[in-house]
Amino acid sequence: MYVYFYALKLFMNNHLATPERHRAASRGATSGSSVDLVIECARGLAALWVFLFHISAAIKQAIPALYPLALEGYRGVPVFFAISGYCIYAAAENAMARNAGAKTFLARRLKRIYPTFWASIAVVMCMPFVLEGLSAVKSGHFVFPQLAWLSYSPLDWFGLLTLSKELVDAQVGANDGYTRINTVYWSLAIEVQFYLVVFLAILMRRYAAAFLGMVSILSAYAIVSDAFNVPGLFINLWPGFLFGVLVRVAHTKGMTPFSFFGRYQFAASILLLGALALATAILAQLMDLGFIASAVIASIAIWCLGGLEHAVLTQFTLSKKGLKVCGMLLFPAVLLGQSSYSLYLLHGKVYQLPEMIARNLFPTTSPLYVIATVLLTCAICYGFYFFIERRFHNRRLPDPRPEAIPAAATLAQTAR
């Protein structure tokens, strides 16, 4: 409980407006963009949306009203890609500004992905034994679980551990991808290829924008002509990343809600978000909104939400009571955002353990059955984040001592 309230206080100091933060932000708000909190919350909600998609059958039975939303949860992946485009391009800009070099950028990106990914493989491989062990306590008989990954060849393991398995499969005529161990790993492979493209762009320095433009043209050609329909290759999914990059470019060029609407940015951003939601609902009735459309909608929403966050930081000063209320409302979404990578990696396998517990406590037709499953799964994944993932973050972690809170609250928020 102490850790929760310490983290809550740190969150409010970092993200919510105090009089001092209000004055500082007002003096330095030349770009009119602020998306730290937006990105953190959106990342967490996207991971949760994907999770709900994978348990949509249970949701249909227990919470029918939530089923249509859960059924669209696969759209959380293009949301992730758009967020990644924004964050990775921001990291690339920082690397070039610091003359850190392309190798440093790539090393930091790979450090962010691979160690946590490898640890998740160990958890996924252990889960069937944990589940069978718990069943054995009740039944008195242990059944060795069926493990699809036991059939992996050394080449399969190489492809898995390097996140190149679908590309390797394409060369040997296989097509099972990552399904034998954890289906969601396919998107990590695409993410790593995004990193490699940006790495090459940084190497080119002056020609970085031209190089990314050429990749985008090639991607458009591949989508229209179906010329590079290779499983596991990033090129057809590049637009999801690109639209996040474009939002970042818009922010760095000063094209923000603040630059267009000035002190009316808060109201304008709300109206734009409402119009976006209405347009999305209408278009969804007329056509199937595919991957690219989902990424476009997510990117526009990030741009609009950035206007809201900037308005809150520069135009409103909350009282202590207001800070507490906002903190209590937003903090769970921020926790979810912090552990979003862990939640995305593990939910499809780990949820079986909380589901087993929830099934013994509530009937499967009760909303409490789904709620308990989701909350316990998120808690387990946050534990994985706390003990494993956060050790590989590319930013300083706050000093946990209470006396260090004021200093910790001033730490710069950098792209992951």
Side-chain angles (χ1 to χ4, degrees):
M1 185 61 68
Y2 164 76
V3 172
Y4 177 88
F5 283 107
Y6 160 68
L8 174 59
K9 183 173 182 179
L10 182 60
F11 155 71
M12 290 190 295
N13 285 338
N14 272 323
H15 289 295
L16 298 181
T18 61
E20 294 76 13
R21 185 175 174 85
H22 177 278
R23 287 190 292 270
S26 297
R27 288 193 300 269
T30 55
S31 69
S33 64
S34 180
V35 291
D36 285 349
L37 185 55
V38 167
I39 291 294
E40 197 76 18
C41 292
R43 187 186 283 121
L45 294 175
L48 180 61
W49 200 11
V50 174
F51 178 20
L52 295 181
F53 171 72
H54 287 139
I55 60 169
S56 56
I59 291 174
K60 182 178 182 180
Q61 187 177 12
I63 315 177
L66 187 60
Y67 178 66
L69 179 64
L71 204 58
E72 300 294 321
Y74 65 92
R75 300 185 191 279
V77 175
V79 173
F80 265 125
F81 284 170
I83 292 171
S84 180
Y86 187 99
C87 294
I88 300 309
Y89 195 73
E93 287 178 330
N94 291 337
M96 288 188 285
R98 298 193 312 266
N99 291 319
K103 291 182 180 179
T104 301
F105 165 83
L106 186 60
R108 288 167 65 89
R109 294 300 99 205
L110 298 184
K111 176 187 172 185
R112 182 72 178 89
I113 287 286
Y114 275 103
T116 302
F117 160 64
W118 291 330
S120 79
I121 293 175
V123 173
V124 168
M125 292 172 65
C126 290
M127 278 306 300
F129 295 97
V130 173
L131 295 172
E132 289 296 339
L134 292 175
S135 297
V137 172
K138 186 176 181 179
S139 65
H141 179 64
F142 180 82
V143 178
F144 193 87
Q146 294 183 344
L147 305 170
W149 47 263
L150 284 178
S151 62
Y152 272 179
S153 67
L155 185 62
D156 288 325
W157 282 110
F158 171 81
L160 172 65
L161 295 174
T162 59
L163 285 171
S164 61
K165 190 171 186 310
E166 287 185 313
L167 296 175
V168 171
D169 286 352
Q171 300 302 314
V172 298
N175 61 0
D176 64 318
Y178 301 92
T179 56
R180 293 191 212 174
I181 188 161
N182 195 357
T183 305
V184 301
Y185 289 160
W186 75 268
S187 61
L188 300 188
I190 301 299
E191 187 84 4
V192 169
Q193 292 175 53
F194 290 161
Y195 295 167
L196 292 174
V197 171
V198 176
F199 163 74
L200 293 175
I202 296 174
L203 281 178
M204 297 184 182
R205 294 285 175 173
R206 290 174 53 191
Y207 305 103
F211 173 73
L212 294 178
M214 291 178 60
V215 172
S216 301
I217 293 172
L218 183 63
S219 175
Y221 172 74
I223 293 170
V224 172
S225 66
D226 203 28
F228 301 100
N229 191 16
V230 179
L233 187 64
F234 80 97
I235 195 70
N236 288 341
L237 300 173
W238 172 256
F241 188 82
L242 174 64
F243 291 116
V245 171
L246 293 177
V247 174
R248 175 62 188 182
V249 171
H251 279 171
T252 56
K253 298 294 185 181
M255 294 184 292
T256 66
F258 178 75
S259 67
F260 286 105
F261 307 109
R263 61 192 182 94
Y264 301 107
Q265 65 172 327
F266 186 84
S269 296
I270 291 177
L271 290 174
L272 287 173
L273 285 169
L276 179 65
L278 179 61
T280 300
I282 293 173
L283 290 173
Q285 298 299 318
L286 300 176
M287 65 182 74
D288 177 30
L289 297 178
F291 178 91
I292 294 177
S294 299
V296 170
I297 292 167
S299 300
I300 295 173
I302 290 171
W303 186 83
C304 296
L305 289 168
L308 290 182
E309 181 175 341
H310 183 259
V312 169
L313 291 178
T314 60
Q315 296 175 230
F316 303 102
T317 303
L318 298 177
S319 65
K320 289 184 178 180
K321 184 177 180 180
L323 283 172
K324 290 181 180 179
V325 171
C326 289
M328 296 297 289
L329 290 174
L330 292 174
F331 186 58
V334 174
L335 283 182
L336 199 62
Q338 288 177 342
S339 59
S340 58
Y341 182 39
S342 294
L343 178 61
Y344 184 77
L345 287 175
L346 296 177
H347 72 269
K349 302 297 181 180
V350 169
Y351 91 92
Q352 298 171 69
L353 178 58
E355 190 272 338
M356 180 186 295
I357 298 171
R359 192 171 61 245
N360 288 316
L361 295 175
F362 310 105
T364 56
T365 54
S366 169
L368 293 175
Y369 162 72
V370 169
I371 293 171
T373 299
V374 170
L375 290 179
L376 288 173
T377 302
C378 290
I380 292 172
C381 292
Y382 191 85
F384 181 85
Y385 156 78
F386 188 84
F387 291 106
I388 304 295
E389 180 192 344
R390 74 185 184 118
R391 299 176 183 276
F392 303 102
H393 278 194
N394 293 317
R395 64 181 181 184
R396 290 175 56 196
L397 294 175
D399 188 332
R401 295 172 298 170
E403 61 271 20
I405 288 177
T410 63
L411 289 176
Q413 296 289 315
T414 59
R416 288 186 174 186

